[in-house]
Amino acid sequence: MHTGRAREIKRAAVRVVNCFHVISPRIRSMTQPPSSMRSPHVEMKSLQLDDRPELESADSGIADVDELPVPQHILISNITCDSFKISWNMDSRGQDRITHYFIDLNKKEDKSSNKFKHMDVPTKLVAKVVPLPMTVRGHWFLSPRTEYTVAVQTATKQHDGEYAVSAWSEIIEFCTADYSTIQLRQLLQKAEAITGRVLPFTVFYRNQQREYFQPNSQYYRSRDTQCFRMLPSVKDNSGSHGSPISGKLEGIFFSCNTEFNTGRPPQDSPYGPYRFQIQADLLFNQNTNIYFGDFYCMYTSYHYVIVVLAPNNSKGDIFCRGKLPALDRSNNCFLSCTEEEDGSLSFHHAQDVILEVIYTEPVDLSLGMVSQISGHQLMSLSTLNAKKDPSCKICNISVGR
């Protein structure tokens, strides 16, 4: 790219946040970047995007480009679901000439990855020189639990407003983190905002195909056929992309929703025509802790809330501590267990959302009963690996999905 061509590049405004200032970059010479860059104008706390639709490389222009040190040994640290810190080493030669850093951030290509907003938009960050490590934060271009690549250039702004740049650093890969309890509490507040009415219930139930409950069945690995127990299995990737329980927490899925007019579980299910039913107090009692796990929808008007039931000090309980917001067992708007004056336990579930209950320990089939339901298998209602609607204003927060 020659100087005349460089001057035709659209002027880009970069908002100042703290140590960053407004620049209108016109790059006189640049080595070939690791990837093409198209960067929308978005708001960030630490950095601001260059809003040029494309920044092309050039191989002519400035003789002193080689005098700028190339970043080496890139280090990514303090990774969260929507931020990270970046630092690197540089030769001392030419450091005094550096005025800016150019950071090329791209989502790592993965055809099987979750679809989320702005996933195909590479990001060119322009920052005024600051002490390292530098914080990069922005939920518009960083999504939780997502792999990215990053490379860095050093640059010097010249008197005519153009930039001389170094060669690109090596490309580093990293993955953003799950939602922390901060983001999960934001989801919790959104879920609480749409719940209010509750209905009583007495049983938890789990629907499956007939083979699941048959002795010596080889169809399902989540069954201990010799001891007639249902075993925990790893939760699928349904729900929020940043949920810390997806693909990690082991548990058994149960339902507890009832029909308003009958007070009983519905006769239809997306998971199979055979139902295991167990008294609620056998899974949920004074020795059980309850956690909020997720809040999502699947492009529909109704929403799902995931709660986790974990016996105190169990493996599942230890996993949930510090990762999920704990709920008051007897006073929450999703799933409650209250001790009555006579010592008995009463149970209520939210009417305005569909509850998905994950119990973290094995369950003996002898504690309940299996029967065939009379309704249909409504496959369209299955949440198996269901993707959350990223455009829903009710169940999304301003951090990825």
Side-chain angles (χ1 to χ4, degrees):
M1 182 189 302
H2 297 286
T3 302
R5 172 58 179 159
R7 293 180 184 276
E8 296 175 5
I9 297 177
K10 184 180 177 181
R11 297 172 65 90
V14 180
R15 182 172 7 180
V16 179
V17 181
N18 297 329
C19 56
F20 303 99
H21 64 165
V22 176
I23 63 175
S24 298
R26 292 171 295 167
I27 303 215
R28 184 197 298 269
S29 177
M30 179 180 290
T31 56
Q32 181 67 36
S35 61
S36 61
M37 293 170 283
R38 294 178 293 114
S39 301
H41 178 81
V42 299
E43 294 185 5
M44 294 177 287
K45 183 174 181 180
S46 296
L47 297 173
Q48 185 65 24
L49 294 182
D50 183 340
D51 66 358
R52 285 167 293 192
E54 184 174 2
L55 184 60
E56 299 179 350
S57 65
D59 53 14
S60 64
I62 298 180
D64 60 358
V65 171
D66 291 339
E67 296 182 10
L68 291 175
V70 178
Q72 299 176 350
H73 307 298
I74 308 298
L75 177 64
I76 305 295
S77 61
N78 296 86
I79 301 173
T80 71
C81 63
D82 67 341
S83 69
F84 62 92
K85 288 188 176 182
I86 182 170
S87 61
W88 55 84
N89 297 329
M90 292 183 293
D91 292 336
S92 58
R93 180 175 59 87
Q95 281 197 29
D96 57 337
R97 299 182 60 247
I98 300 174
T99 60
H100 292 81
Y101 300 135
F102 292 165
I103 301 176
D104 183 49
L105 179 68
N106 296 278
K107 181 180 180 293
K108 188 177 179 181
E109 294 185 4
D110 183 357
K111 294 181 180 180
S112 64
S113 64
N114 190 30
K115 305 298 183 183
F116 63 94
K117 187 164 51 178
H118 300 312
M119 67 166 295
D120 294 321
V121 181
T123 300
K124 176 69 179 296
L125 307 178
V126 182
K128 188 176 179 181
V129 169
V130 294
L132 300 178
M134 177 195 314
T135 299
V136 179
R137 178 181 291 111
H139 67 264
W140 284 101
F141 58 87
L142 284 174
S143 187
R145 199 184 279 198
T146 304
E147 293 183 333
Y148 290 91
T149 63
V150 64
V152 185
Q153 283 180 314
T154 59
T156 180
K157 187 174 183 180
Q158 303 179 114
H159 296 297
D160 59 3
E162 297 182 0
Y163 284 80
V165 297
S166 72
W168 286 99
S169 70
E170 73 272 26
I171 298 175
I172 299 297
E173 299 180 359
F174 71 99
C175 184
T176 47
D178 299 333
Y179 284 160
S180 69
T181 53
I182 296 175
Q183 287 81 37
L184 286 174
R185 290 192 182 282
Q186 293 175 7
L187 274 180
L188 171 59
Q189 292 173 359
K190 280 183 166 287
E192 289 174 337
I194 69 167
T195 57
R197 296 173 295 179
V198 296
L199 292 174
F201 75 98
T202 59
V203 296
F204 289 106
Y205 56 93
R206 172 178 172 82
N207 278 69
Q208 285 287 343
Q209 299 298 323
R210 180 180 181 181
E211 293 79 7
Y212 178 84
F213 299 108
Q214 289 181 332
N216 301 319
S217 172
Q218 301 300 320
Y219 288 92
Y220 296 91
R221 296 181 180 179
S222 55
R223 281 273 282 105
D224 183 345
T225 56
Q226 292 183 350
C227 297
F228 298 98
R229 296 189 307 168
M230 294 186 293
L231 302 179
S233 57
V234 177
K235 182 191 173 298
D236 65 9
N237 290 316
S238 61
S240 299
H241 189 48
S243 174
I245 63 176
S246 294
K248 297 181 180 180
L249 176 67
E250 294 185 354
I252 304 173
F253 169 83
F254 283 94
S255 298
C256 64
N257 300 285
T258 57
E259 294 180 327
F260 175 77
N261 55 340
T262 66
R264 298 177 181 178
Q267 284 298 305
D268 299 316
S269 171
Y271 303 108
Y274 284 82
R275 174 173 293 168
F276 171 76
Q277 194 166 281
I278 186 172
Q279 290 298 310
D281 62 340
L282 295 178
L283 302 185
F284 193 19
N285 50 58
Q286 302 300 333
N287 294 319
T288 310
N289 293 324
I290 179 171
Y291 298 91
F292 172 80
D294 202 1
F295 177 46
Y296 70 100
C297 72
M298 302 182 299
Y299 302 89
T300 58
S301 59
Y302 44 89
H303 284 76
Y304 296 82
V305 169
I306 298 177
V307 295
V308 180
L309 296 180
N312 190 40
N313 292 323
S314 65
K315 179 181 177 181
D317 189 39
I318 294 173
F319 175 91
C320 293
R321 292 175 190 172
K323 292 184 177 69
L324 305 179
L327 300 176
D328 188 323
R329 185 185 303 108
S330 61
N331 185 25
N332 72 83
C333 55
F334 307 118
L335 184 68
S336 64
C337 168
T338 305
E339 185 173 1
E340 304 297 337
E341 293 183 358
D342 61 359
S344 64
L345 299 177
S346 62
F347 303 89
H348 292 82
H349 70 82
Q351 179 183 354
D352 301 312
V353 295
I354 299 176
L355 277 181
E356 296 183 316
V357 181
I358 297 177
Y359 187 74
T360 64
E361 304 305 309
V363 176
D364 195 323
L365 286 172
S366 65
L367 296 177
M369 59 178 295
V370 178
S371 60
Q372 186 174 5
I373 60 176
S374 60
H376 302 284
Q377 186 172 349
L378 304 177
M379 297 301 296
S380 62
L381 297 180
S382 172
T383 61
L384 180 64
N385 287 315
K387 301 306 180 185
K388 182 175 182 176
D389 179 3
S391 64
C392 179
K393 297 181 179 179
I394 295 176
C395 61
N396 279 285
I397 58 177
S398 61
V399 182
R401 277 186 55 191

